[in-house]
Amino acid sequence: MIVTNVVAEGAIASALRAFAKNEVSIADVLLTARTAGKGRAGTQIQALINEVLGRSDDQLSTLLSRVELVENVSWPEARAIIANGFAIDPGVDQQVVVQGLLGWMTETLVTAWRNGEVGMISRTACLKQVHAITRQLVRQRLLPRPAADVTVSEVEHRAAQTRDFVARLVEVRADDETIFEAVEHFLRFSAERYRLAAEGEIPAREWVDRGNRLKQRWRGVARQTVIEEVGRSEDELGRLILARTTFSHYEPIGQDPCNELYMTSGHYHRLADDSDVWWTPSRPRHGDAS
């Protein structure tokens, strides 16, 4: 594909338009091209023209018959045609892929024009870009959203204050800021886990396996804290276990790294809500834990 930032004019462009309307034959277009291709002796572009015109009539006729001037584009229709032509995966938002492709094409063309080069993009390059954008969208679908994009309402926040995981925090006298953040993480994790399960095709088994990995890590943190912090009160030990477990650890989801803290911290508080983990060195005072 060759793109220009001006309307294509001249004898060859006119002949191609007429051929598209079945007003002239391909032989007429070929004759026009051979005639118009003369008269620029000594220029660099003429050397390229001569190389093209040096091909046989059959070769040039085949080439010219496949040239299409795309003008007066209806973008809604064009986007559907582009999506179909590049066989964009229907499992992703095709309009997002097309928009990304057009953005990349614009940037590529503008860069070429600024450098005084021909604005030419191959189909292979377009296909590679389509595949790259599609892979990125698929990966985004499998990864959690940034915390700021997962909204938590005041109503949800108030309702969560009565849950068991909050009682686990109160047991170790966690401060108000820690409890507030824990509630945020719990609610965001719950919402995003549901979205990922519904849209991201993450199997339910992965959440079970991830929970088991988190519980194993928590047991190690708790034992190590008790050994290293001899002489601390139970409340102090509990706050240390809580901090070392939830404040800075980022657990992967499957084979993919997960850089959103709420997805790990919130998962721990979900486990605490189910009494699968707790923060005191001994079993929790409320509920039963396995």
Side-chain angles (χ1 to χ4, degrees), residues 165 181-193 207 210 214 242 245-247 249 251 260-274 277 279:
F165 79 92
E181 185 177 69
V183 172
E184 294 269 300
H185 288 179
F186 174 86
L187 293 172
R188 284 178 173 146
F189 167 76
S190 298
E192 198 62 358
R193 173 181 170 175
W207 296 113
R210 189 175 192 258
L214 291 176
L242 170 68
T245 302
T246 68
F247 284 9
H249 179 63
E251 183 69 21
E260 293 296 334
L261 181 60
Y262 76 87
M263 286 301 293
T264 298
S265 173
H267 200 160
Y268 267 120
H269 292 302
R270 166 60 67 181
L271 293 171
D273 200 59
D274 294 335
V277 305
W279 312 123

Side-chain angles (χ1 to χ4, degrees), residues 221-234 236-241 244 281:
V221 169
R223 286 195 294 266
Q224 185 174 358
T225 300
V226 170
I227 292 172
E228 293 178 349
E229 305 294 340
V230 176
R232 298 267 193 179
S233 68
E234 288 232 338
E236 290 176 318
L237 288 172
R239 289 192 294 272
L240 284 173
I241 294 170
R244 292 174 180 179

Side-chain angles (χ1 to χ4, degrees), residues 45-55 60:
I45 191 64
Q46 187 63 48
L48 178 59
I49 292 172
N50 290 341
E51 181 182 349
V52 174
L53 294 179
R55 302 301 178 97
L60 285 178

Side-chain angles (χ1 to χ4, degrees), residues 21 25 64 79 123 154:
K21 298 176 182 178
S25 68
L64 291 168
R79 290 172 186 272
R123 175 176 173 80
E154 291 185 10

